[in-house]
Amino acid sequence: MRNAPTILHLDMDAFFASVEQASKPSLRGKAVVVGGLGPRGVVATASYEARVFGVRSAMPMAQARRLVPNAAYLVPRFTLYRAISEQVMALLRELSPLVEPLSLDEAFVDLEAGRAAWDEEAARRAGEKLRADIRAVTGLTGSVGLAASKMLAKIASEQAKPDGLVLIEPGTERALLAPMPVRTLPGVGPATGDHLRRAGITTVEELAQAGEDELVRLLGKAHGQALYAMALARDERPVVAEREAKSVSVEDTYDVDIHDRLRVGLEVQRLADRCVRRLREAGLSGRTIVLKVRRYDFSTLTRSETLRGPTDDPVVIREAAARLLDSVDTTGGVRLLGVGVSGLADYTQEDLFAQAVPSRAEEAPEEAVAETVVERAEPVERQWRAGQDVRHAEFGHGWVQGSGLGRVTVRFETPQSPPGRVRTFLVDDPALEGADPLPLVLDASRPFARPGPPDSDPHGAVPRTPEETRDQVSSEPASLPKSWSGTLGDEATSRP
């Protein structure tokens, strides 16, 4: 382990909620909860004002509403979050060529590689300058931890929250860790923590005192040895600038279980198309298609099919997903569906087109096609979701506060304006339309990557973030084992 605090860990403070507060002057200093607003939605991020009442990430949204009924509940705007994340990551890369992003709002930086820290004082100056630059460029705050290893830097940034900096001096690590709960260490989630507690181990000091042999007996060789080393403040993991994606996946959770088999099939096709878009955005292709189905009783099934070579062709991926669905019984109802692609490559296998069979639209009789056209032609009421950016021909830019009973309420304000006035319109008012988010800080020297239209899920579920999102390029296998719609694993990827 290094003998100087050359590893920096940045964690943006309540990132999604802070973006919403910065974007909406009327919400500053108030409780804000961002997440899926449907019956099965969960909290992605809560502002510190909401956390006072016990609201936490991954909590069911219904529970959050009971705790803070008067909070602002908003859908996530991932295009805006990604654009701001790119600004923050650019600042990190000015510090060092070795930047390891963990999610939209979190990253490690090796200051030594960028010659930005040669002693404690230099490291502290680098951290303080970073925090000032982030505030100037984005208007947001971030917490910084500085230490000699990744584990300790992450612990330091947790102690620095919110909007602070903590530096762990070399030689003080063991004393700092000793009284901390075992859950502080990476890799110790609820299950491992409970297992250790039953063995009488609740603090890091007790973990170190138990000894390596005992931890190996309790947890297995790899996990036991790793935790023992961490309990002694040993962490040799380097900062890795590039992480190879292992899968690309998308999934949706539905407010009401889907029982109609045709509807299930159409949803799988739609998810396959979204997955293809994610593949192409990342410049990737894949050869293993994975289908995930969570049924009415919460049982989760995964099916996979490996093709002859990698592809990003939507026809091939749709039909592979459809074949996988044929092997799954959905009689009792489906609450979640997901489609993923693994075995990634940066090229496509053109002869995979031969695997595609004629599309169902080509095989369908003319009568069925005519029915489909008629159904799509029916007018659909415009959907306005809380937090969505809008623009009115007369009143300018604003955001949706709520909608229902054929009406939509809009507050007209911008990041640079004072709190704005509220007006109500019919949902089909022709003067009202969706809009792009506005930059939080107007600075010509730092061009803002203009995001696309707001992206939210109509079914109210929120993606896993890191590491990001439900539509994600992931370093996890494509079996799609976790999602915001259910319980998270030992380490949630969208953290306070």
Side-chain angles (χ1 to χ4, degrees), residues 298-309:
F298 287 90
S299 62
T300 302
L301 305 175
T302 58
R303 299 288 186 268
S304 64
E305 175 181 323
T306 299
L307 307 174
R308 291 195 298 268

Side-chain angles (χ1 to χ4, degrees), residues 322-340:
R323 289 192 295 271
L324 295 171
L325 179 62
D326 289 340
S327 65
V328 177
D329 180 11
T330 62
T331 305
V334 170
R335 60 183 292 119
L336 177 146
L337 290 168
V339 174

Side-chain angles (χ1 to χ4, degrees), residues 117-152:
W118 49 90
D119 58 20
E120 293 177 27
E121 186 56 33
R124 187 181 296 276
R125 286 198 303 268
E128 292 291 5
K129 182 179 184 302
L130 173 65
R131 293 178 59 235
D133 288 346
I134 289 173
R135 185 185 289 274
V137 171
T138 70
L140 304 175
T141 64
S143 296
V144 168
L146 293 158
S149 69
K150 291 170 72 172
M151 175 189 73
L152 292 168

Side-chain angles (χ1 to χ4, degrees), residues 151-152 155 159 168 172-188 192-193 196-197 200-212 215 219 224-235:
M151 175 189 73
L152 292 168
I155 291 172
Q159 293 183 328
I168 298 178
T172 66
E173 298 92 348
R174 290 286 303 275
L176 176 76
L177 287 175
M180 291 184 175
V182 293
R183 288 287 304 277
T184 304
L185 300 181
V188 182
T192 302
L196 291 170
R197 180 181 52 79
I201 301 173
T202 59
T203 68
V204 176
E205 183 177 21
E206 291 169 346
L207 199 64
Q209 291 174 348
E212 184 175 4
L215 295 180
L219 305 173
Q225 289 178 341
L227 282 187
Y228 181 68
M230 289 183 181
L232 300 180
R234 299 172 185 164
D235 180 16

Side-chain angles (χ1 to χ4, degrees), residues 46 123 144 196 212 219 229 246 256 270 342 354 389 402 404 435 443 449 461 479 485:
V144 168
L196 291 170
E212 184 175 4
L219 305 173
K246 295 182 180 179
V256 179
R270 184 177 62 83
S342 64
D389 290 274
D443 184 353
S479 56
S485 60

Side-chain angles (χ1 to χ4, degrees), residues 118-369:
W118 49 90
D119 58 20
E120 293 177 27
E121 186 56 33
R124 187 181 296 276
R125 286 198 303 268
E128 292 291 5
K129 182 179 184 302
L130 173 65
R131 293 178 59 235
D133 288 346
I134 289 173
R135 185 185 289 274
V137 171
T138 70
L140 304 175
T141 64
S143 296
V144 168
L146 293 158
S149 69
K150 291 170 72 172
M151 175 189 73
L152 292 168
K154 186 177 177 68
I155 291 172
S157 69
E158 290 290 341
Q159 293 183 328
K161 281 185 167 294
D163 190 20
L165 181 148
V166 169
L167 183 149
I168 298 178
E169 297 180 2
T172 66
E173 298 92 348
R174 290 286 303 275
L176 176 76
L177 287 175
M180 291 184 175
V182 293
R183 288 287 304 277
T184 304
L185 300 181
V188 182
T192 302
D194 287 344
H195 191 53
L196 291 170
R197 180 181 52 79
R198 289 193 294 269
I201 301 173
T202 59
T203 68
V204 176
E205 183 177 21
E206 291 169 346
L207 199 64
Q209 291 174 348
E212 184 175 4
D213 292 342
E214 176 64 9
L215 295 180
V216 168
R217 185 186 70 82
L218 289 171
L219 305 173
K221 184 176 181 180
H223 201 184
Q225 289 178 341
L227 282 187
Y228 181 68
M230 289 183 181
L232 300 180
R234 299 172 185 164
D235 180 16
E236 303 295 337
R237 294 174 301 162
V239 175
V240 181
E242 297 292 335
R243 282 187 167 190
E244 182 182 356
K246 295 182 180 179
S247 69
V248 173
S249 60
V250 299
E251 62 183 46
D252 275 346
T253 301
Y254 303 98
D255 292 345
V256 179
D257 291 346
I258 303 176
H259 292 83
D260 181 70
R261 183 73 178 190
L262 177 60
R263 166 84 188 284
V264 173
L266 291 174
E267 289 294 319
V268 168
Q269 299 298 290
R270 184 177 62 83
L271 289 167
D273 288 341
R274 278 172 51 194
C275 189
V276 167
R277 286 198 296 272
R278 297 296 296 171
L279 278 172
R280 291 183 172 179
E281 287 172 3
L284 298 170
S285 61
R287 63 194 305 260
T288 299
I289 316 302
V290 179
L291 175 72
K292 175 181 177 180
V293 179
R294 180 168 295 148
R295 299 189 291 190
Y296 69 99
D297 58 357
F298 287 90
S299 62
T300 302
L301 305 175
T302 58
R303 299 288 186 268
S304 64
E305 175 181 323
T306 299
L307 307 174
R308 291 195 298 268
T311 184
D312 63 356
D313 180 67
V315 175
V316 173
I317 293 175
R318 277 199 305 265
E319 294 186 349
R323 289 192 295 271
L324 295 171
L325 179 62
D326 289 340
S327 65
V328 177
D329 180 11
T330 62
T331 305
V334 170
R335 60 183 292 119
L336 177 146
L337 290 168
V339 174
V341 176
S342 64
L344 301 180
D346 56 3
Y347 66 95
T348 59
Q349 188 82 23
E350 296 300 333
D351 67 2
L352 282 176
F353 285 110
Q355 292 195 20
V357 298
S359 68
R360 285 173 171 76
E362 293 172 344
E363 295 178 345
E366 293 182 3
E367 294 79 6
V369 174

